[in-house]
Amino acid sequence: MALEHDFFGLLESGPDGSVFWSETVDLGDQSVAVDLTAPDQEDVSQDALDAAAAIVASIEEIDRRARIAMLGEVDNRASEVTEYILMQQNQLGDDLDDLLVDVSGDAAVDIIRSMQLTSVTILADEHGGSDPFAVFEYALDPDSTDDVLLVNLLGDGEIQSVTSAD
């Protein structure tokens, strides 16, 4: 069986009924891997595919809102964003400046501004539920796959939470 959608085209299902779509999307001067996945095509609605298409089409705006959400957590000493920033400062030391795109003097702002959106995963079967529908993965150093922040979105594109990969 297969699903068809105006944006994604024909989504074939695997022998186990799973659905997968992958594309690379340009965001400024970087490329972002975007994956849509669901373990069972029966759990994927047209509304879910429409919501997924809207997220892919507005990736730049969601990226902007995700960074604002990260900045909003900087004042909370217990937030995972603050822990991530402190960890990057401790691990990188003087080498941190080499990864920053702009140095304003505010380390938290500079780190969040310099992070790269490395991937977007859309969990099409989670549309309308309480679990994340889409996950935007950010890293200061894209080669360091363990040190990432995840921005979780609901099906309507609203930011649900910012967490670390732990």
Side-chain angles (χ1 to χ4, degrees), residues 3-154:
L3 295 171
E4 192 165 351
H5 189 266
D6 291 342
F7 183 86
F8 298 107
L10 189 63
L11 296 167
E12 295 284 341
S13 62
D16 60 354
S18 64
V19 174
F20 185 78
W21 175 88
S22 183
E23 192 71 40
T24 300
V25 176
D26 290 330
L27 177 65
D29 62 348
Q30 65 179 349
S31 295
V32 179
V34 179
D35 297 325
L36 178 138
T37 184
D40 187 347
Q41 84 168 17
E42 297 297 321
D43 295 334
V44 180
S45 68
Q46 283 297 313
D47 287 345
L49 294 176
D50 291 343
I55 286 173
V56 175
S58 59
I59 198 167
E60 190 171 328
E61 171 58 22
I62 295 172
D63 174 58
R64 185 187 67 75
R65 289 190 294 117
R67 291 174 195 272
I68 291 170
M70 286 186 249
L71 284 171
E73 295 198 17
V74 168
D75 290 337
N76 178 355
R77 286 285 208 201
S79 79
E80 294 189 44
V81 174
T82 300
E83 289 178 18
Y84 178 87
I85 290 167
L86 293 173
M87 180 182 67
Q88 294 302 308
Q89 289 174 311
N90 289 337
Q91 283 181 347
L92 297 169
D94 293 336
D95 294 333
L96 177 63
D97 286 345
D98 296 338
L99 295 173
L100 300 178
V101 295
D102 187 25
V103 179
S104 70
D106 185 334
V109 170
D110 296 342
I111 289 172
I112 291 170
R113 196 181 288 159
S114 300
M115 293 177 75
Q116 292 185 29
L117 175 59
T118 57
S119 70
V120 174
T121 303
I122 300 171
L123 307 164
D125 59 318
E126 296 297 339
H127 187 259
S130 60
D131 289 334
F133 176 68
V135 180
F136 281 50
E137 182 176 298
Y138 290 87
L140 183 59
D141 179 1
D143 294 329
S144 179
T145 58
D146 293 336
D147 298 332
V148 299
L149 282 177
L150 306 173
V151 178
N152 301 302
L153 282 78
L154 296 171

